Amino acid sequence: MPQYQAVKGTRDIFPEEVARWKYVEGVVDAQASLYGFSEIRIPVFEYTELFQRGIGSTTDIVGKEMFTFQPDPKGRSLTLRPEMTAGVMRAAIQNNLLASAPVHKLYYMGELFRKERPQAGRQRQFSQFGAELLGVSSPAAVAEVITLMMEVFRSLGLQRLKLRINSLGDADDRLRYRVALQNYFSPFADILDDASKERLEKNPLRILDSKNPALQELIAGAPKLYEYLSEASVQDFEKVLFYLKERTIAFDIDHRLVRGLDYYCNTAFEVTSSELGAQDAIGGGGRYDGLARELGSSTDVPAVGFAVGMERLLMTMEKQALFDVVAPQAPLVYVVVQQQELADHALQMVCRLRNASIKTEIDLAARSMKAQMREANRIKASYALFVGATELTTGLYSLKNLATSEQTMLTLEALLELLGESAAGMQLQP
Ligand code: AMP
C-alpha cells in the first residue's frame, strides 16, 4: 500500500469525471443566469462564531461536525465552511450589498467540510451548488428558487426525483409549537435516546428528525406543526404551492420535514432520489428570514435559498445513465514525427495548429513511429498528420483519417482550412 493515502472522507476526481462535473456546472451556470442569478465566491474558512450564530449551536453541524482550528494561540478560532448560506449572508451584510439594490440573487459552487462518518454519498469534503435570493422572501421568491433548482434537474435529464415541502411557520408559530412538543415528549423522557433528551430542552423540533427506529412510533403521534400555523403562514404556504402547481412542478407535502439547520422559517423543502440508498437527499433549502439579524444586520433581510450536493447529483445521473451525452475530449490531430531530426519542425507545426484553435497532440518522448500511431489511436484522435523529409521539401503534408484510413496530401493552407472546419464541426457536438 502506498505510504500516503487521501484522508478518509475525501477523494480525488480524475479527468474523465471532471468532464462530468464541468458539464453539470455548465448547466448550473446557464440556468442560474437565465433566472438572473450571479455567481459569488466566498472564502473556504470563516470565524467559527459565524457558524455558531448562523447555523445554531444545537445542530449536529455545529455540535460535532465542524473542522475547527486555531491558527495561533492568540488567534480567533476558525472553521472550514460546513455550508454556504451563513458565509453568503455575512458577505452581503459586510459589504452592504442590499444598500445598492433591494434584492440580490446569488449562486455559488464550492467545497464544504463536515466531520461526518464517511459512507456512500457522505464525505467529509463534498461540493454543493446553490442559490440565495436576498432581500425578499415572498411566495413568488420561494417559488422562483425552487423552480430554478428543479429546472437544473430537468435540464440534466434527471427523473424520479421527489420534492417534499413543508411550512415551518414563522417565529411565533414555532414558539407555540415548541411548547406543545415539550409537553408531548416530556412524559416519555425515559424512553428517549440521549440525543433526543438533549434536544427536548434546547430544540425539541429536532427530535422529529431522529432516525432512531425505536422512537418512530412516538414521533408519529407528536403534535403536528401545521396545527400551530397562523392564518398568515397558511396563506403564505398555499401561495407557494399554487405557483408550483402552475409550473407543473410535482411535490408532496410532508409535515415531518424540518431540516437540520435552525434558521429556516416558513417554507422548507427537500429533494430525494430513491436511487441513492440511505443518504437519499440530493438537495434542499428554504426561507431564512431570521439569519441576517442573527448575524448582526441592523435591518431585516428576508431570504430564501437552496443547496444541492454535487456528488449525490452525479451519482444519480450515473445511475440514470445520463452521461452518454457528454462529448469525449479526443484531440482532432495527432502529429506523427517520421524522423526524430524533424521533431522541432513538428513542434512548430503543433503550435501553428493550436494557434488556429485546432486541438492537437504530439509525442514528447521521442518514441518510434509505430508507438506514435498506437498512441494516436488510443486517444482516439481523428487524424494523424505526418511530418517527414518529403513534407518538408514538397510543402505537402499527408493527413490520414484514422477512422477510414483514407490519406490525402495537402498544402499547409488547405490543411488549416480542412482542420479548422472539422474543429468547428466538433464543437457543435453536445
Ligand atoms: P444540507 O446543507 O445538509 O441541507 O445539504 C444539502 C445537500 O448537500 C444534501 O442534500 C446532500 O446532497 C449534500 N450533502 C450534505 N452533506 C453531505 C456530505 N457529508 N457528503 C456529501 N454530500 C452531502
Side-chain angles (χ1 to χ4, degrees):
M1 195 189 276
Q3 190 177 358
Y4 294 108
Q5 307 275 318
V7 175
K8 211 168 160 222
T10 70
R11 57 191 288 266
D12 306 301
I13 303 170
F14 290 101
E16 205 173 289
E17 217 184 324
V18 169
R20 298 174 168 201
W21 280 68
K22 287 195 167 176
Y23 168 69
V24 172
E25 287 161 4
V27 168
V28 172
D29 281 330
Q31 286 295 331
S33 148
L34 188 65
Y35 279 74
F37 285 73
S38 312
E39 187 175 352
I40 183 169
R41 299 185 183 189
I42 54 169
V44 168
F45 54 89
E46 302 267 1
Y47 290 118
T48 304
E49 303 107 86
L50 175 78
F51 301 119
Q52 288 167 337
R53 285 308 289 260
I55 303 175
S57 49
T58 61
T59 58
D60 283 349
I61 293 184
V62 172
K64 45 189 181 198
E65 294 171 2
M66 296 204 300
F67 283 101
T68 294
F69 57 101
Q70 205 133 7
D72 59 72
K74 284 197 183 141
R76 278 164 77 185
S77 169
L78 304 176
T79 291
L80 296 181
R81 62 188 185 194
E83 57 94 63
M84 291 282 201
T85 305
V88 170
M89 187 59 97
R90 193 260 318 130
I93 298 170
Q94 179 183 345
N95 297 285
N96 220 0
L97 281 196
L98 289 139
S100 60
V103 174
H104 276 266
K105 295 162 88 171
L106 302 167
Y107 78 101
Y108 58 78
M109 304 188 207
E111 286 73 38
L112 304 171
F113 306 85
R114 293 184 196 170
K115 214 183 289 166
E116 294 187 270
R117 196 172 49 78
Q119 64 181 88
R122 192 154 85 190
Q123 294 171 216
R124 293 186 151 192
Q125 175 178 331
F126 63 99
S127 294
Q128 286 183 343
F129 69 86
E132 314 286 3
L133 202 163
L134 309 181
V136 55
S137 62
S138 62
V142 174
E144 170 132 316
V145 161
I146 297 177
T147 310
L148 168 59
M149 177 179 73
M150 298 308 285
E151 274 301 292
V152 170
F153 296 148
R154 194 194 54 77
S155 309
L156 292 169
L158 281 156
Q159 288 175 357
R160 298 183 293 281
L161 297 184
K162 203 161 161 186
L163 169 67
R164 290 177 304 125
I165 187 162
N166 190 21
S167 174
L168 306 179
D170 61 21
D172 289 341
D173 301 342
R174 281 166 76 170
L175 216 57
R176 279 185 282 130
Y177 183 52
R178 193 189 149 99
V179 175
L181 281 183
Q182 276 167 337
N183 290 341
Y184 172 79
F185 282 115
S186 294
F188 301 102
D190 347 326
I191 62 164
L192 291 180
D193 53 33
D194 287 348
S196 298
K197 249 184 233 153
E198 208 182 310
R199 289 166 179 170
L200 185 58
E201 281 311 309
K202 293 184 184 160
N203 190 353
L205 251 88
R206 300 242 12 254
I207 300 178
L208 307 179
D209 250 353
S210 167
K211 300 269 187 298
N212 183 348
L215 296 181
Q216 295 311 305
E217 203 178 321
L218 183 63
I219 289 172
K224 307 287 181 280
L225 179 53
Y226 65 82
E227 296 162 349
Y228 293 81
L229 297 186
S230 66
E231 189 53 35
S233 296
V234 170
Q235 275 178 15
D236 182 280
F237 189 49
E238 301 264 304
K239 194 78 203 216
V240 173
L241 303 183
F242 166 78
Y243 285 130
L244 296 182
K245 280 182 206 148
E246 265 205 329
R247 292 164 205 184
T248 62
I249 295 175
F251 58 83
D252 288 325
I253 296 174
D254 179 354
H255 290 305
R256 283 193 53 188
L257 178 77
V258 290
R259 294 191 49 79
L261 312 188
D262 272 358
Y263 53 62
Y264 286 104
C265 64
N266 296 86
T267 311
F269 51 89
E270 193 158 85
V271 174
T272 50
S273 162
S274 53
E275 275 138 314
L276 279 181
Q279 301 299 318
D280 64 350
I282 290 196
R287 221 175 113 174
Y288 50 95
D289 296 0
L291 178 64
R293 288 271 189 194
E294 199 63 47
L295 298 182
S297 170
S298 53
T299 53
D300 280 326
V301 181
V304 51
F306 74 80
V308 171
M310 277 293 278
E311 287 81 1
R312 291 189 202 169
L313 178 73
L314 287 153
M315 273 164 72
T316 312
M317 288 184 67
E318 209 162 314
K319 293 233 160 90
Q320 298 189 3
L322 295 174
F323 283 117
D324 304 344
V325 292
V326 180
Q329 292 286 305
L332 185 62
V333 188
Y334 195 94
V335 172
V336 177
V337 190
Q338 287 175 302
Q339 290 104 16
Q340 281 309 321
E341 310 85 78
L342 302 175
D344 289 349
H345 182 78
L347 285 170
Q348 276 172 17
M349 178 61 108
V350 170
C351 289
R352 289 194 79 146
L353 294 173
R354 287 178 180 161
N355 285 343
S357 300
I358 295 163
K359 196 166 149 62
T360 310
E361 261 302 351
I362 186 167
D363 172 48
L364 299 173
R367 281 180 294 186
S368 70
M369 241 186 86
K370 200 167 153 200
Q372 293 178 58
M373 284 306 288
R374 211 182 304 125
E375 181 65 5
N377 283 310
R378 191 187 69 79
I379 62 174
K380 300 193 170 64
S382 305
Y383 296 98
L385 175 67
F386 297 96
V387 174
T390 330
E391 279 79 9
L392 273 194
T393 41
T394 61
L396 287 172
Y397 291 85
S398 38
L399 184 75
K400 182 176 182 181
N401 182 322
L402 292 175
T404 62
S405 293
E406 204 179 309
Q407 201 152 325
T408 36
M409 302 287 283
L410 297 164
T411 62
L412 183 57
E413 219 168 51
L415 188 71
L416 284 170
E417 195 171 324
L418 178 98
L419 294 177
E421 275 170 18
S422 300
M426 272 189 127
Q427 279 157 14
L428 289 180
Q429 285 174 12

